[in-house]
Amino acid sequence: MKRPLTVIANWKMHKTRHQAGQFIKTLETLIPCNHSDILIAAPFTALETCLNERSGLTVGAQNVSEHTQGAYTGEVSAGMLADLGVKFCLVGHSERRMHFHETQEQIGKKVKRCMEQGIHVVLCIGETFEEKKHGLTHKVLFHQITSALSGLEAQDLSNLSLAYEPVWAIGSGYAATAVDVQEVHASCRHFIKKNWGEKIGESLKILYGGSVNGHTLGPIICSYDVDGVLVGTASLDPTEFANIIKISRELKS
Ligand code: PGA
């Protein structure tokens, strides 16, 4: 099955409103942006600026509260994001699991809060180097998927993508090999099919993230079960990010 390509920039805690606006203006001069295949996960403070650019890029958040509303100082709800016009949200990124001790339970709630508001979820999963070394990759990933998606029906998953991001590959300069990525993606797809049905498993987009750049991208994006990439460091520079989009579009067309 041919699944549409998705390339996501994860800016993490980078870019002021001015820098975000400049990035989008520059990107538009480098590549056609009137496609829904380019997504920008911006910091909360730059979301409105990105949306106001009216660029054809899809704009999303990097995090959301697991609560709907209330006395949760500093939190941002899915309803607030939807009100801004935000279309998608990263959930369960390993930096949030690691530095902010996000639990599987919180991640599951965040997935549901987004879905209630019609916000597309990009669920990030990934194993640590220790877990990989001990042959636990599949066990860890299947557990992360099961706990984040518990109680959801197949139709709910039509508003979700998976992003496989091995923790050891993020920001390290060492991307996983294309062979390993294909194998992991195929087994995650198989797991989804087994638990939620053949149809949703076949159409579900599975992205790869972790040290993706112009050099590491080629063999990975060519793999059958890789439907796109989630790019951190290399998404901060518009020229580098445009190059990643160009290569991805060429190799996936
Ligand atoms: P990286 O980050 O591309 O800098 O490895 C990817 C991510 O954390 O989403």
Side-chain angles (χ1 to χ4, degrees):
M1 179 184 194
K2 199 161 160 44
R3 291 170 290 267
L5 171 73
T6 301
V7 180
I8 308 183
N10 176 12
W11 285 346
K12 308 193 180 185
M13 200 172 71
H14 294 284
K15 298 199 189 296
T16 60
R17 288 176 302 160
H18 178 73
Q19 290 165 337
Q22 285 303 115
F23 177 100
I24 292 176
K25 284 187 183 70
T26 310
L27 192 71
E28 282 181 303
T29 65
L30 298 169
I31 39 141
C33 289
N34 52 350
H35 292 278
S36 55
D37 60 349
I38 315 171
L39 281 66
I40 306 282
F44 289 136
T45 47
L47 285 172
E48 197 160 16
T49 304
C50 292
L51 289 160
N52 286 345
E53 287 293 326
R54 308 206 175 283
S55 58
L57 300 169
T58 304
V59 179
Q62 302 168 9
N63 185 31
V64 66
S65 171
E66 75 257 34
H67 303 289
T68 44
Q69 63 175 8
Y72 301 104
T73 303
E75 291 290 278
V76 173
S77 74
M80 292 167 179
L81 293 177
D83 176 53
L84 262 185
V86 160
K87 291 286 181 279
F88 78 97
C89 186
L90 305 182
V91 176
H93 191 284
S94 66
E95 286 158 10
R96 298 218 49 90
R97 294 179 194 253
M98 252 183 337
H99 305 313
F100 304 98
H101 314 292
E102 245 176 45
T103 64
Q104 306 278 15
E105 198 195 339
Q106 284 174 303
I107 291 165
K109 286 183 181 168
K110 289 179 181 208
V111 169
K112 291 195 179 71
R113 294 299 84 79
C114 286
M115 287 183 171
E116 287 160 5
Q117 295 294 333
I119 295 174
H120 186 95
V121 172
V122 178
L123 175 67
C124 304
I125 55 170
E127 84 285 7
T128 63
F129 184 68
E130 276 301 297
E131 289 161 345
K132 178 182 166 65
K133 218 171 62 186
H134 289 102
L136 296 171
T137 299
H138 294 88
K139 192 171 171 222
V140 168
L141 299 179
F142 295 166
H143 178 61
Q144 289 174 345
I145 294 172
T146 310
S147 53
L149 306 186
S150 81
L152 297 182
E153 306 287 330
Q155 74 211 43
D156 301 320
L157 270 62
S158 60
N159 207 12
L160 177 128
S161 304
L162 279 183
Y164 169 52
E165 298 204 296
V167 177
W168 48 270
I170 294 176
S172 67
Y174 300 104
T177 67
V179 173
D180 283 353
V181 173
Q182 167 56 28
E183 195 278 322
V184 168
H185 282 215
S187 54
C188 287
R189 192 178 301 290
H190 180 74
F191 184 76
I192 296 282
K193 284 181 183 174
K194 214 175 69 186
N195 289 281
W196 285 274
E198 182 73 24
K199 200 161 154 237
I200 192 69
E202 195 52 37
S203 60
L204 184 89
K205 286 197 243 176
I206 310 182
L207 320 179
Y208 168 79
S211 295
V212 170
N213 55 44
H215 303 291
T216 58
L217 174 69
I220 294 175
I221 197 77
C222 286
S223 307
Y224 175 76
D225 283 294
V226 177
D227 307 308
V229 280
L230 177 49
V231 190
T233 314
S235 75
L236 294 175
D237 174 64
T239 309
E240 216 176 329
F241 189 54
N243 188 36
I244 288 172
I245 296 162
K246 252 186 236 157
I247 299 172
S248 302
R249 282 177 177 167
E250 268 164 36
L251 295 177
K252 270 301 193 212
S253 64

